[in-house]
Coordinates of all heavy atoms in Angstrom, one line a residue:
M223 N 12.1 15.4 -4.9 CA 11.5 16.7 -4.8 C 12.5 17.8 -5.3 O 12.0 18.8 -5.8 CB 11.1 17.0 -3.4 CG 9.8 16.2 -3.0 SD 8.4 16.9 -3.7 CE 7.4 15.4 -3.9
G224 N 13.7 17.6 -5.0 CA 14.7 18.6 -5.4 C 15.0 19.6 -4.3 O 16.1 19.5 -3.8
S225 N 14.2 20.5 -3.9 CA 14.5 21.5 -2.9 C 13.3 21.6 -2.0 O 12.2 21.2 -2.2 CB 14.8 22.8 -3.5 OG 13.7 23.3 -4.2
G226 N 13.6 22.3 -0.9 CA 12.5 22.6 0.1 C 11.4 23.5 -0.4 O 10.3 23.3 0.0
S227 N 11.7 24.4 -1.3 CA 10.7 25.3 -1.8 C 9.7 24.5 -2.7 O 8.5 24.8 -2.7 CB 11.3 26.4 -2.6 OG 12.0 25.9 -3.7
K228 N 10.2 23.5 -3.4 CA 9.2 22.7 -4.2 C 8.3 21.9 -3.3 O 7.1 21.8 -3.6 CB 10.0 21.8 -5.2 CG 10.6 22.4 -6.4 CD 11.3 21.4 -7.2 CE 11.9 22.0 -8.4 NZ 12.6 21.1 -9.3
L229 N 8.9 21.4 -2.3 CA 8.1 20.6 -1.3 C 7.1 21.5 -0.6 O 5.9 21.2 -0.4 CB 9.0 20.0 -0.2 CG 8.4 19.1 0.8 CD1 7.7 17.9 0.1 CD2 9.4 18.7 1.9
G230 N 7.5 22.8 -0.3 CA 6.5 23.7 0.3 C 5.4 24.1 -0.7 O 4.2 24.2 -0.3
R231 N 5.7 24.2 -1.9 CA 4.7 24.5 -2.9 C 3.7 23.4 -3.1 O 2.5 23.6 -3.2 CB 5.3 24.9 -4.3 CG 5.6 26.3 -4.5 CD 5.8 26.7 -5.9 NE 6.8 25.9 -6.6 CZ 8.1 26.1 -6.6 NH1 8.6 27.2 -6.0 NH2 9.0 25.3 -7.2
I232 N 4.2 22.2 -3.1 CA 3.4 21.0 -3.2 C 2.5 20.9 -2.0 O 1.3 20.6 -2.1 CB 4.2 19.7 -3.4 CG1 4.8 19.7 -4.8 CG2 3.4 18.5 -3.3 CD1 5.8 18.6 -5.1
F233 N 3.1 21.1 -0.8 CA 2.3 21.1 0.4 C 1.2 22.2 0.4 O 0.0 21.9 0.7 CB 3.2 21.3 1.6 CG 2.4 21.5 2.9 CD1 1.8 20.4 3.5 CD2 2.2 22.7 3.5 CE1 1.1 20.5 4.7 CE2 1.5 22.8 4.7 CZ 1.0 21.7 5.3
A234 N 1.5 23.4 -0.1 CA 0.5 24.4 -0.1 C -0.6 24.1 -1.1 O -1.8 24.3 -0.8 CB 1.2 25.8 -0.5
K235 N -0.3 23.5 -2.3 CA -1.3 23.2 -3.2 C -2.2 22.1 -2.7 O -3.4 22.1 -2.9 CB -0.6 22.8 -4.6 CG 0.0 23.9 -5.3 CD 0.6 23.4 -6.6 CE 1.3 24.5 -7.4 NZ 2.0 24.0 -8.6
T236 N -1.6 21.1 -2.1 CA -2.3 20.0 -1.5 C -3.3 20.5 -0.4 O -4.4 20.1 -0.4 CB -1.4 18.9 -0.9 OG1 -0.5 18.5 -2.0 CG2 -2.1 17.7 -0.4
W237 N -2.7 21.3 0.5 CA -3.6 21.8 1.6 C -4.7 22.7 1.0 O -5.8 22.6 1.5 CB -2.7 22.6 2.5 CG -3.4 23.1 3.7 CD1 -3.8 24.4 4.0 CD2 -3.9 22.3 4.8 NE1 -4.5 24.4 5.2 CE2 -4.6 23.2 5.7 CE3 -3.8 21.0 5.1 CZ2 -5.2 22.7 6.9 CZ3 -4.4 20.5 6.3 CH2 -5.1 21.4 7.1
A238 N -4.4 23.5 0.0 CA -5.5 24.4 -0.6 C -6.5 23.5 -1.3 O -7.7 23.8 -1.1 CB -4.9 25.3 -1.6
G239 N -6.1 22.4 -1.9 CA -7.1 21.5 -2.5 C -7.9 20.8 -1.5 O -9.2 20.7 -1.7
F240 N -7.3 20.4 -0.4 CA -8.1 19.7 0.7 C -9.1 20.7 1.3 O -10.3 20.3 1.5 CB -7.1 19.2 1.7 CG -7.8 18.7 3.0 CD1 -8.4 17.5 3.0 CD2 -7.7 19.5 4.1 CE1 -9.1 17.0 4.1 CE2 -8.4 19.0 5.3 CZ -9.0 17.8 5.3
V241 N -8.7 21.9 1.6 CA -9.6 22.9 2.2 C -10.7 23.2 1.3 O -11.9 23.3 1.7 CB -8.8 24.1 2.7 CG1 -9.7 25.2 3.2 CG2 -7.9 23.7 3.9
S242 N -10.4 23.5 0.0 CA -11.4 23.9 -0.9 C -12.4 22.7 -1.2 O -13.6 23.0 -1.2 CB -10.8 24.4 -2.2 OG -10.1 23.4 -2.9
A243 N -11.9 21.5 -1.3 CA -12.8 20.4 -1.5 C -13.7 20.2 -0.2 O -14.9 19.9 -0.4 CB -12.0 19.1 -1.8
S244 N -13.2 20.3 0.9 CA -14.0 20.2 2.2 C -15.0 21.3 2.2 O -16.2 21.1 2.6 CB -13.1 20.3 3.4 OG -12.2 19.3 3.4
F245 N -14.6 22.5 1.9 CA -15.6 23.7 1.9 C -16.7 23.4 0.9 O -17.9 23.6 1.2 CB -14.9 25.0 1.6 CG -15.8 26.2 1.6 CD1 -16.3 26.7 2.8 CD2 -16.1 26.8 0.4 CE1 -17.1 27.8 2.7 CE2 -17.0 27.8 0.4 CZ -17.5 28.4 1.5
I246 N -16.4 23.0 -0.3 CA -17.4 22.8 -1.3 C -18.3 21.6 -0.9 O -19.6 21.8 -1.1 CB -16.7 22.4 -2.7 CG1 -16.1 23.7 -3.2 CG2 -17.7 21.9 -3.7 CD1 -15.2 23.5 -4.4
S247 N -17.8 20.6 -0.3 CA -18.7 19.5 0.1 C -19.6 19.9 1.3 O -20.8 19.5 1.3 CB -17.9 18.2 0.5 OG -17.1 18.5 1.6
L248 N -19.1 20.7 2.2 CA -19.9 21.2 3.3 C -21.0 22.1 2.8 O -22.2 22.1 3.2 CB -19.1 21.8 4.4 CG -18.2 20.9 5.2 CD1 -17.3 21.7 6.1 CD2 -19.1 20.1 6.1
L249 N -20.6 23.0 1.9 CA -21.6 23.9 1.3 C -22.6 23.2 0.5 O -23.8 23.5 0.6 CB -20.8 24.9 0.4 CG -21.6 26.1 -0.2 CD1 -22.1 27.0 1.0 CD2 -20.8 26.9 -1.1
L250 N -22.3 22.2 -0.3 CA -23.2 21.4 -1.0 C -24.2 20.7 -0.1 O -25.4 20.6 -0.4 CB -22.5 20.5 -2.0 CG -23.4 19.6 -2.8 CD1 -24.1 20.4 -3.8 CD2 -22.5 18.5 -3.5
G251 N -23.7 20.1 1.0 CA -24.5 19.4 1.9 C -25.5 20.4 2.6 O -26.7 20.0 2.8
L252 N -25.1 21.6 3.0 CA -26.0 22.5 3.6 C -27.1 23.0 2.6 O -28.2 23.1 3.0 CB -25.2 23.7 4.1 CG -24.4 23.5 5.4 CD1 -23.5 24.7 5.7 CD2 -25.3 23.3 6.5
V253 N -26.7 23.2 1.4 CA -27.7 23.6 0.4 C -28.7 22.5 0.1 O -29.9 22.8 0.1 CB -27.0 24.0 -0.9 CG1 -28.0 24.2 -2.1 CG2 -26.2 25.3 -0.7
M254 N -28.2 21.3 0.0 CA -29.2 20.2 -0.2 C -30.1 19.9 0.9 O -31.3 19.6 0.7 CB -28.4 18.9 -0.6 CG -27.6 19.0 -1.9 SD -28.6 19.4 -3.3 CE -29.5 17.9 -3.5
V255 N -29.6 20.0 2.2 CA -30.4 19.8 3.3 C -31.5 20.9 3.4 O -32.7 20.7 3.7 CB -29.6 19.8 4.6 CG1 -30.4 20.0 5.9 CG2 -28.9 18.5 4.7
N256 N -31.1 22.2 3.1 CA -32.1 23.2 3.2 C -33.1 23.2 2.0 O -34.3 23.5 2.2 CB -31.4 24.6 3.2 CG -30.8 24.9 4.5 OD1 -31.3 24.6 5.5 ND2 -29.6 25.5 4.4
L257 N -32.7 22.7 0.9 CA -33.7 22.5 -0.2 C -34.6 21.3 0.0 O -35.8 21.4 -0.2 CB -32.9 22.4 -1.5 CG -32.3 23.6 -2.1 CD1 -31.5 23.3 -3.4 CD2 -33.3 24.7 -2.3
L258 N -34.0 20.2 0.3 CA -34.8 18.9 0.3 C -35.5 18.7 1.7 O -36.5 18.0 1.8 CB -33.9 17.7 0.0 CG -33.3 17.7 -1.4 CD1 -32.4 16.6 -1.6 CD2 -34.4 17.7 -2.5
Q259 N -34.9 19.2 2.8 CA -35.4 19.1 4.1 C -35.8 17.6 4.4 O -37.0 17.3 4.6 CB -36.6 20.0 4.3 CG -36.3 21.4 4.2 CD -37.5 22.3 4.4 OE1 -38.6 21.9 4.6 NE2 -37.3 23.6 4.5
P260 N -34.8 16.8 4.5 CA -35.1 15.3 4.8 C -35.6 15.2 6.2 O -35.2 15.8 7.1 CB -33.7 14.7 4.7 CG -32.7 15.8 4.9 CD -33.4 17.0 4.4
G261 N -36.6 14.3 6.3 CA -37.2 14.0 7.6 C -38.3 15.0 8.0 O -38.9 14.8 9.1
S262 N -38.6 16.0 7.2 CA -39.7 16.9 7.6 C -41.1 16.3 7.6 O -41.9 16.8 8.3 CB -39.6 18.2 6.7 OG -39.9 17.8 5.3
N263 N -41.3 15.3 6.8 CA -42.6 14.6 6.7 C -42.7 13.5 7.7 O -43.8 12.8 7.8 CB -42.9 14.1 5.3 CG -43.0 15.3 4.3 OD1 -43.4 16.4 4.7 ND2 -42.7 15.0 3.1
S264 N -41.7 13.2 8.5 CA -41.7 12.1 9.4 C -42.5 12.4 10.7 O -42.5 13.6 11.2 CB -40.3 11.8 9.8 OG -40.3 10.8 10.8
S265 N -43.3 11.5 11.2 CA -44.0 11.7 12.4 C -43.3 11.1 13.6 O -43.9 11.1 14.7 CB -45.4 11.0 12.2 OG -45.2 9.6 12.1
A266 N -42.1 10.7 13.5 CA -41.4 10.1 14.6 C -40.9 11.2 15.5 O -40.5 12.3 15.0 CB -40.2 9.3 14.1
P267 N -41.0 11.0 16.8 CA -40.5 12.1 17.7 C -39.0 12.1 17.7 O -38.3 11.1 17.4 CB -41.0 11.6 19.1 CG -41.2 10.1 19.0 CD -41.6 9.9 17.5
C268 N -38.4 13.2 18.0 CA -37.0 13.3 18.0 C -36.5 14.0 19.3 O -37.4 14.6 20.0 CB -36.5 14.0 16.8 SG -37.1 15.7 16.7
G269 N -35.3 14.0 19.6 CA -34.8 14.6 20.8 C -34.8 13.7 22.0 O -34.8 12.5 21.9
Q270 N -34.8 14.3 23.2 CA -34.8 13.5 24.4 C -36.1 12.8 24.7 O -36.2 11.8 25.4 CB -34.4 14.3 25.6 CG -33.0 14.8 25.5 CD -32.6 15.6 26.7 OE1 -33.4 16.0 27.5 NE2 -31.3 15.8 26.9
D271 N -37.2 13.3 24.1 CA -38.5 12.7 24.3 C -38.7 11.4 23.5 O -39.7 10.7 23.7 CB -39.6 13.7 23.9 CG -39.6 14.9 24.8 OD1 -39.1 14.8 26.0 OD2 -40.0 16.0 24.4
A272 N -37.9 11.1 22.5 CA -38.0 10.0 21.7 C -37.7 8.7 22.5 O -36.6 8.6 23.1 CB -37.1 10.1 20.5
I273 N -38.6 7.8 22.4 CA -38.4 6.5 23.1 C -38.3 5.4 22.0 O -39.2 5.2 21.2 CB -39.5 6.1 24.1 CG1 -39.6 7.2 25.2 CG2 -39.3 4.7 24.6 CD1 -40.7 7.0 26.1
T274 N -37.1 4.8 21.9 CA -36.9 3.8 20.8 C -37.2 2.4 21.2 O -37.4 1.5 20.4 CB -35.5 4.0 20.3 OG1 -34.6 3.7 21.3 CG2 -35.2 5.3 19.7
G275 N -37.1 2.1 22.5 CA -37.3 0.8 23.0 C -36.0 -0.1 22.8 O -36.0 -1.3 23.1
L276 N -34.9 0.6 22.4 CA -33.7 -0.1 22.3 C -32.9 -0.2 23.6 O -33.1 0.8 24.4 CB -32.8 0.5 21.3 CG -33.3 0.6 19.8 CD1 -32.5 1.4 18.9 CD2 -33.4 -0.8 19.3
P277 N -32.2 -1.2 23.9 CA -31.5 -1.3 25.2 C -30.4 -0.2 25.2 O -29.7 0.0 24.2 CB -30.9 -2.7 25.2 CG -30.9 -3.1 23.8 CD -32.0 -2.4 23.1
V278 N -30.2 0.4 26.4 CA -29.2 1.5 26.5 C -28.1 1.0 27.4 O -28.4 0.4 28.5 CB -29.9 2.8 27.1 CG1 -28.8 3.8 27.3 CG2 -31.0 3.3 26.2
S279 N -26.9 1.1 27.0 CA -25.8 0.7 27.8 C -24.8 1.8 27.9 O -24.5 2.5 26.8 CB -25.2 -0.6 27.3 OG -24.6 -0.3 26.0
A280 N -24.2 2.1 29.0 CA -23.2 3.1 29.1 C -21.8 2.5 28.8 O -21.5 1.3 29.1 CB -23.2 3.6 30.6
V281 N -21.0 3.3 28.2 CA -19.6 2.9 27.9 C -18.8 3.3 29.1 O -18.7 4.4 29.5 CB -19.1 3.6 26.6 CG1 -17.6 3.2 26.4 CG2 -19.9 3.2 25.5
L282 N -18.2 2.3 29.7 CA -17.3 2.6 30.9 C -15.9 2.9 30.4 O -15.4 2.4 29.4 CB -17.3 1.3 31.8 CG -18.7 0.9 32.3 CD1 -18.5 -0.4 33.1 CD2 -19.3 2.0 33.2
D283 N -15.2 3.6 31.2 CA -13.8 4.0 30.9 C -12.9 2.8 30.8 O -12.0 2.8 30.0 CB -13.3 5.0 31.9 CG -13.9 6.4 31.8 OD1 -14.5 6.7 30.8 OD2 -13.9 7.1 32.8
R284 N -13.2 1.8 31.6 CA -12.3 0.6 31.5 C -12.5 -0.2 30.3 O -11.7 -1.1 30.0 CB -12.4 -0.2 32.8 CG -13.7 -0.9 32.9 CD -13.7 -1.7 34.2 NE -15.0 -2.5 34.3 CZ -16.0 -2.1 34.9 NH1 -16.0 -1.0 35.6 NH2 -17.1 -2.9 34.9
E285 N -13.6 0.0 29.6 CA -13.9 -0.8 28.4 C -13.2 -0.2 27.1 O -13.2 -0.9 26.1 CB -15.4 -0.9 28.1 CG -16.1 -1.7 29.2 CD -17.6 -1.7 29.0 OE1 -18.1 -1.0 28.0 OE2 -18.3 -2.3 29.8
I286 N -12.8 1.0 27.2 CA -12.3 1.7 26.0 C -11.0 1.0 25.5 O -10.8 0.7 24.3 CB -12.1 3.2 26.2 CG1 -13.5 3.8 26.3 CG2 -11.3 3.8 25.1 CD1 -13.5 5.2 26.7
P287 N -10.0 0.8 26.4 CA -8.7 0.2 25.8 C -8.8 -1.3 25.6 O -7.8 -1.9 25.1 CB -7.7 0.5 26.9 CG -8.5 0.6 28.2 CD -9.8 1.2 27.7
D288 N -9.9 -2.0 25.8 CA -10.0 -3.4 25.6 C -9.6 -3.8 24.2 O -8.8 -4.8 24.0 CB -11.3 -4.0 25.9 CG -11.5 -4.1 27.4 OD1 -10.5 -4.1 28.1 OD2 -12.6 -4.4 27.9
P289 N -10.0 -3.2 23.1 CA -9.6 -3.6 21.8 C -8.1 -3.4 21.5 O -7.6 -3.9 20.6 CB -10.4 -2.8 20.8 CG -11.5 -2.2 21.6 CD -11.1 -2.2 23.0
L290 N -7.4 -2.5 22.3 CA -6.0 -2.2 22.1 C -5.1 -3.2 22.7 O -4.0 -3.5 22.2 CB -5.7 -0.8 22.6 CG -6.5 0.3 22.0 CD1 -6.1 1.6 22.7 CD2 -6.2 0.4 20.5
I291 N -5.5 -3.8 23.8 CA -4.6 -4.7 24.6 C -4.9 -6.1 24.2 O -6.0 -6.6 24.6 CB -4.7 -4.4 26.1 CG1 -4.4 -3.0 26.4 CG2 -3.8 -5.4 26.9 CD1 -4.8 -2.6 27.8
P292 N -4.0 -6.8 23.5 CA -4.3 -8.2 23.2 C -4.1 -9.2 24.4 O -3.3 -8.9 25.2 CB -3.3 -8.5 22.1 CG -2.2 -7.5 22.4 CD -2.8 -6.3 23.0
T293 N -4.9 -10.2 24.4 CA -4.7 -11.2 25.5 C -3.6 -12.1 25.1 O -2.8 -12.5 26.0 CB -6.0 -12.1 25.6 OG1 -6.3 -12.6 24.3 CG2 -7.2 -11.2 26.1
S294 N -3.4 -12.4 23.9 CA -2.2 -13.2 23.5 C -2.0 -13.0 22.0 O -2.9 -12.5 21.3 CB -2.4 -14.7 23.7 OG -3.3 -15.2 22.9
I295 N -0.8 -13.3 21.5 CA -0.5 -13.1 20.1 C -1.4 -14.1 19.2 O -1.9 -13.8 18.2 CB 1.0 -13.3 19.8 CG1 1.3 -13.0 18.3 CG2 1.5 -14.7 20.1 CD1 1.1 -11.6 17.9
A296 N -1.6 -15.3 19.8 CA -2.4 -16.3 19.0 C -3.9 -15.8 18.9 O -4.5 -16.0 17.9 CB -2.3 -17.6 19.7
D297 N -4.4 -15.2 20.0 CA -5.8 -14.8 20.0 C -5.9 -13.6 19.0 O -6.9 -13.5 18.3 CB -6.2 -14.3 21.4 CG -7.7 -13.9 21.4 OD1 -8.5 -14.7 20.9 OD2 -8.0 -12.9 22.0
A298 N -4.9 -12.7 19.0 CA -5.0 -11.5 18.1 C -4.9 -12.0 16.7 O -5.6 -11.4 15.8 CB -3.8 -10.6 18.4
M299 N -4.1 -13.0 16.4 CA -4.1 -13.5 15.0 C -5.3 -14.3 14.6 O -5.8 -14.2 13.5 CB -2.8 -14.4 14.8 CG -1.5 -13.6 14.8 SD -0.2 -14.7 14.5 CE 1.2 -13.5 14.6
A300 N -5.9 -15.0 15.6 CA -7.1 -15.8 15.3 C -8.3 -14.9 15.0 O -9.1 -15.2 14.2 CB -7.3 -16.8 16.4
Q301 N -8.4 -13.8 15.8 CA -9.5 -12.9 15.6 C -9.2 -11.9 14.5 O -10.1 -11.0 14.3 CB -9.8 -12.2 17.0 CG -10.1 -13.1 18.1 CD -11.4 -13.8 17.8 OE1 -12.3 -13.3 17.2 NE2 -11.5 -15.0 18.3
N302 N -8.1 -11.9 13.9 CA -7.7 -11.0 12.9 C -7.7 -9.5 13.3 O -8.2 -8.6 12.7 CB -8.5 -11.1 11.6 CG -7.9 -10.6 10.4 OD1 -6.7 -10.4 10.3 ND2 -8.7 -10.3 9.4
E303 N -7.2 -9.3 14.5 CA -7.2 -7.9 15.1 C -5.9 -7.3 14.7 O -4.8 -7.5 15.3 CB -7.3 -8.0 16.6 CG -8.6 -8.5 17.1 CD -9.7 -7.5 17.0 OE1 -9.4 -6.3 16.8 OE2 -10.9 -7.9 17.1
I304 N -5.9 -6.5 13.6 CA -4.7 -5.9 13.0 C -4.1 -4.9 14.0 O -2.8 -4.9 14.1 CB -5.1 -5.2 11.7 CG1 -5.7 -6.2 10.7 CG2 -3.8 -4.6 11.1 CD1 -4.8 -7.4 10.4
L305 N -4.9 -4.1 14.7 CA -4.3 -3.2 15.6 C -3.5 -3.8 16.7 O -2.4 -3.4 17.1 CB -5.4 -2.3 16.2 CG -4.9 -1.1 17.1 CD1 -4.0 -0.2 16.4 CD2 -6.1 -0.4 17.6
Q306 N -4.1 -4.9 17.3 CA -3.4 -5.7 18.3 C -2.1 -6.3 17.8 O -1.1 -6.3 18.5 CB -4.3 -6.7 18.9 CG -5.5 -6.2 19.6 CD -6.4 -7.3 20.2 OE1 -6.1 -8.5 20.0 NE2 -7.4 -6.9 20.9
I307 N -2.1 -6.8 16.6 CA -0.9 -7.4 16.0 C 0.2 -6.3 15.8 O 1.4 -6.5 16.1 CB -1.2 -8.1 14.7 CG1 -2.1 -9.3 15.0 CG2 0.0 -8.5 14.0 CD1 -2.7 -9.9 13.7
V308 N -0.2 -5.1 15.4 CA 0.7 -4.0 15.2 C 1.3 -3.6 16.6 O 2.5 -3.4 16.7 CB 0.1 -2.8 14.5 CG1 0.9 -1.6 14.5 CG2 -0.2 -3.2 13.1
I309 N 0.5 -3.5 17.6 CA 1.0 -3.2 18.9 C 2.0 -4.2 19.4 O 3.0 -3.8 20.0 CB -0.2 -3.0 19.9 CG1 -1.0 -1.7 19.5 CG2 0.2 -2.9 21.3 CD1 -2.3 -1.5 20.3
L310 N 1.7 -5.5 19.2 CA 2.6 -6.5 19.7 C 3.9 -6.4 18.9 O 5.0 -6.6 19.5 CB 2.0 -7.9 19.5 CG 1.0 -8.3 20.6 CD1 0.2 -9.5 20.2 CD2 1.6 -8.4 21.9
R311 N 3.9 -6.1 17.6 CA 5.1 -6.0 16.8 C 5.9 -4.8 17.3 O 7.2 -4.9 17.4 CB 4.8 -5.8 15.4 CG 4.5 -7.0 14.6 CD 4.5 -6.8 13.2 NE 5.9 -6.5 12.8 CZ 6.3 -6.5 11.5 NH1 5.5 -6.8 10.6 NH2 7.5 -6.2 11.2
V312 N 5.3 -3.7 17.7 CA 6.0 -2.6 18.2 C 6.6 -2.9 19.5 O 7.8 -2.5 19.8 CB 5.1 -1.3 18.2 CG1 5.7 -0.2 19.0 CG2 4.7 -0.9 16.8
L313 N 5.9 -3.5 20.4 CA 6.4 -3.8 21.7 C 7.5 -4.8 21.7 O 8.5 -4.6 22.5 CB 5.2 -4.4 22.6 CG 4.2 -3.4 23.1 CD1 3.1 -4.1 23.9 CD2 4.8 -2.3 23.9
F314 N 7.4 -5.8 20.9 CA 8.4 -6.9 21.0 C 9.4 -6.8 19.8 O 10.3 -7.7 19.7 CB 7.8 -8.2 21.0 CG 6.9 -8.4 22.3 CD1 5.6 -8.5 22.2 CD2 7.6 -8.5 23.5 CE1 4.8 -8.6 23.4 CE2 6.8 -8.6 24.7 CZ 5.5 -8.7 24.6
G315 N 9.4 -5.8 19.0 CA 10.3 -5.7 17.9 C 10.3 -6.9 17.0 O 11.3 -7.5 16.7
G316 N 9.1 -7.3 16.5 CA 8.9 -8.5 15.8 C 9.5 -8.5 14.4 O 9.4 -9.5 13.7
D317 N 10.1 -7.4 13.9 CA 10.6 -7.4 12.5 C 12.0 -7.9 12.5 O 12.6 -8.0 11.4 CB 10.4 -6.0 11.9 CG 11.1 -4.9 12.7 OD1 11.7 -5.2 13.8 OD2 11.1 -3.8 12.3
G318 N 12.7 -8.1 13.6 CA 14.0 -8.7 13.6 C 15.1 -7.6 13.4 O 16.3 -7.9 13.5
R319 N 14.8 -6.4 13.2 CA 15.8 -5.3 13.1 C 16.3 -4.8 14.4 O 17.4 -4.2 14.5 CB 15.3 -4.2 12.3 CG 15.1 -4.5 10.8 CD 14.8 -3.3 10.0 NE 13.3 -3.3 9.9 CZ 12.6 -2.4 9.4 NH1 13.2 -1.3 9.0 NH2 11.3 -2.5 9.2
L320 N 15.6 -5.1 15.5 CA 16.0 -4.6 16.8 C 16.2 -5.8 17.8 O 15.6 -5.8 18.8 CB 15.0 -3.6 17.3 CG 14.7 -2.4 16.5 CD1 13.5 -1.6 17.0 CD2 15.9 -1.5 16.4
P321 N 17.1 -6.7 17.5 CA 17.2 -7.9 18.4 C 17.7 -7.6 19.7 O 17.3 -8.2 20.7 CB 18.1 -8.8 17.6 CG 18.9 -8.0 16.7 CD 18.0 -6.8 16.4
E322 N 18.6 -6.6 19.9 CA 19.2 -6.3 21.2 C 18.2 -5.6 22.1 O 18.2 -5.8 23.2 CB 20.5 -5.5 21.0 CG 21.6 -6.2 20.3 CD 22.0 -7.4 21.0 OE1 22.1 -7.4 22.3 OE2 22.3 -8.4 20.3
R323 N 17.4 -4.7 21.5 CA 16.4 -4.0 22.3 C 15.3 -4.9 22.7 O 14.6 -4.6 23.7 CB 15.9 -2.8 21.5 CG 17.0 -1.7 21.4 CD 16.4 -0.5 20.7 NE 17.4 0.6 20.6 CZ 17.1 1.7 20.1 NH1 15.9 2.0 19.6 NH2 18.1 2.7 20.0
S324 N 14.9 -5.9 21.9 CA 13.8 -6.7 22.2 C 14.1 -7.8 23.1 O 13.2 -8.4 23.6 CB 13.2 -7.2 20.9 OG 14.1 -8.0 20.2
K325 N 15.3 -8.1 23.4 CA 15.7 -9.3 24.3 C 15.1 -9.1 25.7 O 14.6 -10.1 26.3 CB 17.2 -9.5 24.3 CG 17.6 -10.2 23.0 CD 19.1 -10.5 23.1 CE 19.5 -11.2 21.8 NZ 20.9 -11.5 21.8
P326 N 15.3 -7.9 26.3 CA 14.7 -7.8 27.7 C 13.2 -8.0 27.7 O 12.6 -8.5 28.6 CB 15.1 -6.4 28.1 CG 16.2 -6.0 27.2 CD 16.0 -6.7 26.0
M327 N 12.5 -7.5 26.7 CA 11.0 -7.7 26.6 C 10.7 -9.1 26.4 O 9.7 -9.6 27.0 CB 10.4 -6.9 25.5 CG 10.5 -5.4 25.6 SD 9.5 -4.7 26.9 CE 7.9 -4.8 26.1
L328 N 11.4 -9.9 25.6 CA 11.1 -11.3 25.4 C 11.5 -12.1 26.6 O 10.9 -13.2 26.8 CB 11.9 -11.8 24.1 CG 11.4 -11.2 22.8 CD1 12.3 -11.6 21.7 CD2 10.0 -11.5 22.5
A329 N 12.5 -11.7 27.3 CA 12.9 -12.5 28.5 C 11.9 -12.3 29.6 O 11.5 -13.2 30.3 CB 14.3 -12.0 29.0

């Protein structure tokens, strides 16, 4: 990059591009919805009065961290749970660069 000012300019240009692209996409979406009015010819009820007949289940607070906490390394690898594998690597220092720090965890 060279200097901090170049990095700042690149950051500003990137941020301006991101904000302008987001604004244009939101504006385009609003214009298209107002012009086309999707769902206006539908006879289906909407809102709280709509009954879909689908089973309703509540998400409990204790169910949220379940995908994060692996039962074992073998299960995480067998189920291809990448997030669980990454968490295990971070916890146990599985990359071999931190052998002294990972010994108490492994013991």
Side-chain angles (χ1 to χ4, degrees):
M223 287 286 148
S225 66
S227 62
K228 286 184 182 180
L229 183 63
R231 270 197 307 271
I232 290 173
F233 173 75
K235 288 179 183 178
T236 305
W237 185 252
F240 171 74
V241 169
S242 61
S244 298
F245 179 75
I246 289 170
S247 66
L248 288 171
L249 187 65
L250 181 65
L252 285 172
V253 168
M254 295 304 288
V255 162
N256 285 324
L257 287 177
L258 299 176
Q259 297 180 355
S262 62
N263 294 331
S264 176
S265 63
C268 61
Q270 291 183 346
D271 297 335
I273 299 174
T274 60
L276 298 173
V278 178
S279 63
V281 176
L282 302 176
D283 290 340
R284 67 176 186 266
E285 293 177 1
I286 293 173
D288 281 348
L290 298 176
I291 302 168
T293 55
S294 69
I295 186 67
D297 184 49
M299 288 184 183
Q301 299 295 328
N302 199 20
E303 294 286 343
I304 303 299
L305 183 61
Q306 291 180 1
I307 295 170
V308 169
I309 288 173
L310 285 168
R311 276 193 69 163
V312 168
L313 285 176
F314 296 112
D317 58 358
R319 287 187 264 173
L320 303 171
E322 295 301 319
R323 290 187 179 179
S324 63
K325 283 183 182 178
M327 293 288 285
L328 293 174

